[in-house]
Amino acid sequence: MLLHCPLPLRALAAAALACALGAQAQTLTPDASGAAAPRSYDLPAQPLGSVLARIGAGSGQQISIDAELVRGRTAPAVRGSYTPEQAARAALQGSGLELVRTGSGSWGLRVAAPAPAPAGTGAAARPAAPAPAQALAPVQVTAQAIVSPTTEQTGSYTTRALSIGKMEQSIRETPQSVTVVTRQQMDDQNLSTVEDVIAQTTGTSKSQRNYGAHVYMMRGYEIPDANYLIDGVAGGAYSPTGWVPMDTAIFDRVEVLRGAGALAVGAGDPSGVVNMVRKRPRADRHFDVAQSIGSWSHLRTEIDGGGTLNEAGTVRGRVVAAYTDRHSFIDLVHTRAPMLYGVIEADLGAGTKATAGYRHQQSDIDGYTIFGLPSYANGASLGLPRSTSLGQRWNRSDAQVDDVFGELEHRMGGDWVARLTLNRSKTTVDQTLGSARGAIDPDTLQGLRYTGNDFIARDIDATGLDASVTGSFQALGGTHKVMFGASWTQQDVLTRSASSGQSAPMDPWHFDHSRYPEPVAPAYDNGSQDRRQMLGLYGSGRLQLAERLHLHLGGRLNWYKFLSDDHYSGALLNEYRQNGQFTPYAGLVYDIDTRWSAYASYTSTFVPQSQYATVQGGRLKPAVGSNYEAGIKGELFERRLNVAVSVFNIKKRDVAVLDLGNEGLCPGLTTNDCYRNASVLRSKGLDIEMGGEIARGWQIAGGYTWLTTRDDEGSSLSTDTPRSLLRVSTSYALPGEWSAWTLGANLSAQSRAYVDTVQNPGHAVLDLRASYRINRNWSATLNIGNVTDKIYWAALGSARNGAYYGMPRHAMLTLRGSF
């Protein structure tokens, strides 16, 4: 049985240890041989998830159960004397699932591999297992087509299915480049924020901009907030890699699609789409805890528990809590970030499930600054220590997010599924900033100036609604999958600000963090109320043209509206819209054999430009980004490893440019200048990626990207994006008598990048880790980041706005318990 321990955040570590030790004391005593002793079972036929949960709870052995994988499956009666493992395997007879041991020592489930050829056909017979008190008859199991995209408890660096397009399909079946960062990879690398995850994703680079609301670039274009989805629904994320960091403790996986997101978002640059998939309740009772301590007083605690809430197993719940308290290698910076997430789901009837959840998260940062370290005007480094801060002691940035979601799912006949999802979030950001910036004259050593005190408040209300239907049908000798639906999002952003103080010169080498006392905030005197609305009707199909050939067709019809008013005067500041803009999607996938496929695809997105007028008095049509891609994908080693090689070519055409011959002749809301659709932006490149198990116990995830971009004049679209990028993470569980040890490494390497005159030379950063499984409940991991203590820029800005150093060598020790 599991102990139920209420856990206040301030006592997480001590309480978790007490609960874990208490739970461990209740585990089943092994017999003299070291194996769990048999016990008597008398379990009637019942839902598979319920009987597995009862076997695990009664024995103390953790069996990790994906609720979706066991949904609709019934276990036969289990009666007799068995070890827990034998009882679990008896319950799985005829289910199409098999029991597997995960890297943490617990048990998990997966779809069974096809049964071996029967005796007499030349196949070698397997040796018989020791018979229990009541012998089990051999059962032949046939693999089923349905697989779960859930990565938790699989120990894998890949997944067998994607959910980013709502129509679940494998990576090999998807005619676009996709990276999946799994739960195992996040745990191994201590990727505790979405920014950490994106930084480890193939083809991404960080860009210093938007006064601290830093963004990531992909394929030469920015990934905007609107391209961050939660469970496939837009509108729930605001500045997730900048002002409002999002904790990953609540996510099972992060799916990143590179290129234009024609179906998922429609509007935006053809960069990529990030889908963050929440953890859902499991059918087994579980309690997991992790306590970390690292460099610069970095403390983090995670607790994750839940399971079935009734005897029938039809109601399940889960609670995840995390608390981070860390100082930074940068002076003054201190972050406190509590997070609480709860979710409950219930089977309402045959094929119908309802889910509801809530998340509260804070990120309170003392010593926060919105500019990096300046350079000399010629771009040369000032040689400042990596710990240098240019903020005042009273600088701070406080963010808070409260979001709720609800989902209703109904499984109809066959594999048809209808789903309705609602997300609602409230975000606040409050900042008090004393800032300094400016390029330094190499002769006078002057140029850095204190720019005054800024007080900024943002209130963001966001709603996302999505309804979809997916399923398949047989026709013309083939199996065809279809998906269609509608989505609506609205985001209201109220921004208020005030400034005080005067400009004054500062010395970057002897910066005074207490030069100015904390000011009294004046009344806000500047502000705007912005509203963005997006309505989309979408649909797609995966049509089987021949046994090995599938055609993907679809598209999204988009309505976009933006409105901005002055918060104090009510004056209209900006307004534009785009009605009925269609973003098509098409792809062709040919199965070379059962493991390899070749594909080609076309997708598009658009950026509204109706805020600009032409000299003829009309409004500019949208800029359209078109993504052309072709490649080869493979599923190797019984689908435990995904590999892909792709080439891509992106054109963003009809981009607005200033009509120099008619300056000042088009009076409007934001400018009196005239514009025209003229510019074409281009990017092209190569992606090579691998994820999964390359040998028994050896996981790898990584990729290489080569990219080149240019505008009409031949200049790069984003010079802070390196031409070559390599991201690799690997983990190897040692065999034999060393099997308690797992070793791992991460390598990030890139070529030269620059912004104006500021250079970031090519460099490589190596991380190492070692994990030791103490027993079946506990493990300890030591992560050492930047082991060579490489000095490099993690994000570039101009000489005036500054750049950010990458983290020096650091270490973190994590103790994990699973019960």
Side-chain angles (χ1 to χ4, degrees):
M1 296 292 291
L2 292 174
L3 291 181
H4 298 281
C5 305
L7 301 170
L9 279 176
R10 293 184 179 180
L12 289 180
L17 183 59
C19 289
L21 293 177
Q24 190 176 18
Q26 299 184 49
T27 57
L28 187 67
T29 303
D31 61 19
S33 68
R39 59 178 296 173
S40 179
Y41 290 89
D42 187 10
L43 303 175
Q46 58 186 293
L48 179 59
S50 299
V51 71
L52 290 175
R54 294 179 65 177
I55 292 171
S59 65
Q61 171 63 52
Q62 183 185 6
I63 307 175
S64 302
I65 307 167
D66 176 7
E68 287 302 313
L69 202 58
V70 300
R71 184 176 174 84
R73 290 179 166 89
T74 301
V78 179
R79 295 187 173 95
S81 180
Y82 301 99
T83 66
E85 181 175 356
Q86 291 165 344
R89 293 190 187 280
L92 289 169
Q93 289 186 15
S95 67
L97 305 177
E98 63 181 357
L99 200 67
V100 294
R101 186 173 294 279
T102 67
S104 64
S106 63
W107 293 339
L109 301 178
R110 70 182 179 195
V111 176
T121 63
R126 294 183 178 179
Q134 176 177 320
L136 298 178
V139 176
Q140 182 167 317
V141 178
T142 302
Q144 299 186 3
I146 300 174
V147 295
S148 171
T150 302
T151 69
E152 184 183 19
Q153 298 295 330
T154 66
S156 177
Y157 277 20
T158 192
T159 180
R160 293 192 175 187
L162 298 170
S163 58
I164 191 169
K166 296 185 175 63
M167 187 169 61
E168 291 184 0
Q169 56 191 16
S170 70
I171 293 176
R172 184 164 70 94
E173 293 171 325
T174 304
Q176 282 187 268
S177 297
V178 184
T179 295
V180 178
V181 181
T182 67
R183 183 68 257 169
Q184 186 68 50
Q185 188 178 349
M186 286 187 272
D187 288 341
D188 285 350
Q189 296 181 243
N190 289 322
L191 307 180
S192 60
T193 68
V194 170
E195 179 175 3
D196 294 337
V197 172
I198 303 304
Q200 291 298 320
T201 300
T202 299
T204 60
S205 60
K206 188 174 184 177
S207 184
Q208 192 272 76
R209 58 183 68 186
N210 298 341
Y211 299 99
H214 306 307
V215 298
Y216 278 80
M217 310 293 289
M218 185 176 288
R219 296 192 170 178
Y221 299 94
E222 175 186 333
I223 307 175
D225 288 358
N227 286 28
Y228 286 85
L229 316 180
I230 302 179
D231 289 339
V233 181
Y238 180 79
S239 191
T241 61
W243 293 321
V244 191
M246 185 171 288
D247 199 299
T248 60
I250 72 169
F251 296 128
D252 170 79
R253 64 192 179 278
V254 178
E255 304 170 334
V256 182
L257 179 145
R258 291 186 289 281
L263 294 176
V265 293
D269 276 334
S271 51
V273 179
V274 180
N275 184 36
M276 300 165 286
V277 184
R278 296 183 180 101
K279 290 179 178 177
R280 299 302 177 99
R282 287 165 27 191
D284 62 314
R285 289 188 177 182
H286 63 98
F287 177 78
D288 305 296
V289 60
Q291 178 64 56
S292 302
I293 181 170
S295 302
W296 308 294
S297 300
H298 186 166
L299 300 174
R300 178 174 170 86
T301 303
E302 293 183 25
I303 286 180
D304 184 341
T308 56
L309 302 180
N310 63 347
E311 184 68 20
T314 57
V315 182
R316 301 165 294 276
R318 187 168 191 170
V319 175
V320 180
Y323 185 81
T324 299
D325 187 316
R326 72 171 184 266
H327 291 268
S328 171
F329 69 94
I330 302 173
D331 293 339
L332 306 182
V333 179
H334 179 202
T335 301
R336 293 170 297 277
M339 190 279 298
L340 179 66
Y341 168 70
V343 59
I344 188 170
E345 65 180 22
D347 299 328
L348 303 183
T352 302
K353 180 179 69 175
T355 305
Y358 165 76
R359 174 178 67 107
H360 170 82
Q361 182 178 332
Q362 294 175 225
S363 178
D364 301 328
I365 306 174
D366 295 332
Y368 185 83
T369 58
I370 59 176
F371 301 114
L373 300 181
S375 301
Y376 288 111
N378 60 12
S381 172
L382 299 183
L384 296 170
R386 284 177 284 184
S387 60
T388 303
S389 169
L390 300 183
Q392 296 297 294
R393 293 190 181 277
W394 40 264
N395 279 27
R396 66 179 182 272
S397 177
D398 300 330
Q400 177 174 308
V401 181
D402 291 276
D403 64 32
V404 295
F405 75 95
E407 182 179 282
L408 185 64
E409 176 186 287
H410 179 66
R411 294 184 176 272
M412 300 169 279
D415 61 353
W416 287 87
V417 180
R419 186 177 289 112
L420 176 66
T421 305
L422 173 66
N423 286 340
R424 185 80 174 89
S425 68
K426 170 72 173 179
T427 303
T428 60
V429 183
D430 290 291
Q431 297 175 329
T432 301
L433 305 169
S435 301
R437 65 172 170 169
I440 309 300
D441 187 297
D443 297 321
T444 66
L445 302 184
Q446 301 296 308
L448 183 71
R449 299 190 67 84
Y450 188 75
T451 59
N453 311 318
D454 295 301
F455 308 88
I456 305 168
R458 298 175 179 87
D459 297 303
I460 304 97
D461 290 290
T463 303
L465 181 64
D466 187 274
S468 64
V469 175
T470 62
S472 65
F473 62 92
Q474 302 285 331
L476 303 176
T479 300
H480 315 286
K481 295 182 179 180
V482 294
M483 179 275 294
F484 56 89
S487 67
W488 175 82
T489 61
Q490 177 173 299
Q491 185 183 80
D492 293 302
V493 181
L494 172 60
T495 303
R496 292 154 294 157
S497 64
S499 298
S500 66
Q502 295 180 347
S503 176
M506 301 287 281
D507 182 352
W509 291 276
H510 304 91
F511 194 84
D512 186 354
H513 302 297
S514 302
R515 177 168 177 176
Y516 298 96
E518 182 172 0
V520 176
Y524 294 123
D525 56 10
N526 185 44
S528 64
Q529 176 74 56
D530 301 338
R531 168 169 288 184
R532 290 177 174 84
Q533 289 182 332
M534 185 76 175
L535 172 65
L537 302 177
Y538 57 83
S540 68
R542 182 175 184 264
L543 310 177
Q544 187 174 12
L545 304 182
E547 182 180 357
R548 296 186 177 185
L549 185 63
H550 290 85
L551 175 65
H552 295 247
L553 282 178
R556 181 183 177 101
L557 199 58
N558 304 275
W559 287 263
Y560 182 93
K561 181 179 180 180
F562 175 81
L563 179 67
S564 180
D565 296 324
D566 186 285
H567 178 62
Y568 295 99
S569 69
L572 181 64
L573 300 177
N574 206 345
E575 181 179 20
Y576 55 92
R577 66 181 64 205
Q578 194 68 44
N579 293 325
Q581 181 71 27
F582 183 66
T583 51
Y585 163 78
L588 201 62
V589 179
Y590 177 72
D591 295 332
I592 300 171
D593 55 27
T594 58
R595 297 180 302 170
W596 294 95
S597 297
Y599 75 92
S601 66
Y602 167 81
T603 58
S604 73
T605 56
F606 74 99
V607 177
Q609 298 182 138
S610 59
Q611 69 269 40
Y612 301 124
T614 67
V615 69
Q616 292 82 16
R619 294 289 168 175
L620 260 64
K621 60 184 179 181
V624 175
S626 301
N627 185 100
Y628 301 86
E629 186 171 321
I632 296 176
K633 293 186 179 183
E635 292 175 327
L636 309 179
F637 308 131
E638 297 181 354
R639 301 182 65 190
R640 294 192 299 271
L641 177 69
N642 282 290
V643 297
V645 178
S646 62
V647 292
F648 57 88
N649 192 323
I650 299 175
K651 291 183 180 181
K652 185 178 177 184
R653 62 185 185 276
D654 292 328
V655 178
V657 296
L658 184 64
D659 188 350
L660 297 177
N662 296 285
E663 293 183 77
L665 300 181
C666 300
L669 293 172
T670 59
T671 178
N672 290 326
D673 291 321
C674 300
Y675 287 80
R676 56 192 177 89
N677 293 106
S679 184
V680 178
L681 310 180
R682 298 173 174 86
S683 70
K684 61 181 179 180
L686 165 74
D687 278 335
I688 303 173
E689 190 164 30
M690 177 183 297
E693 190 175 50
I694 60 176
R696 185 175 180 84
W698 189 358
Q699 297 288 334
I700 189 168
Y704 169 78
T705 297
W706 176 82
L707 174 71
T708 180
T709 67
R710 64 183 179 91
D711 59 17
D712 288 338
E713 298 177 354
S715 300
S716 176
L717 303 183
S718 55
T719 59
D720 55 348
T721 299
R723 176 165 290 197
S724 293
L725 271 168
L726 176 67
R727 306 263 193 267
V728 179
S729 176
T730 187
S731 174
Y732 180 60
L734 300 181
E737 61 182 12
W738 295 92
S739 60
W741 288 92
T742 300
L743 304 180
N746 313 315
L747 178 65
S748 293
Q750 68 174 63
S751 60
R752 182 185 75 95
Y754 65 95
V755 172
D756 296 334
T757 58
V758 181
Q759 302 286 324
N760 192 13
H763 59 269
V765 179
L766 176 66
D767 306 331
L768 298 177
R769 66 179 175 275
S771 178
Y772 179 72
R773 189 175 66 250
I774 302 169
N775 54 39
R776 66 181 179 183
N777 298 112
W778 290 100
S779 66
T781 303
L782 177 64
N783 293 67
I784 302 178
N786 192 4
V787 294
T788 63
D789 203 24
K790 180 71 176 179
I791 298 176
Y792 66 99
W793 295 119
L796 280 181
S798 64
R800 179 171 180 259
N801 289 338
Y804 292 82
Y805 277 121
M807 192 178 297
R809 181 168 49 234
H810 55 282
M812 177 169 285
L813 178 65
T814 302
L815 181 65
R816 293 186 183 274
S818 185
F819 309 92

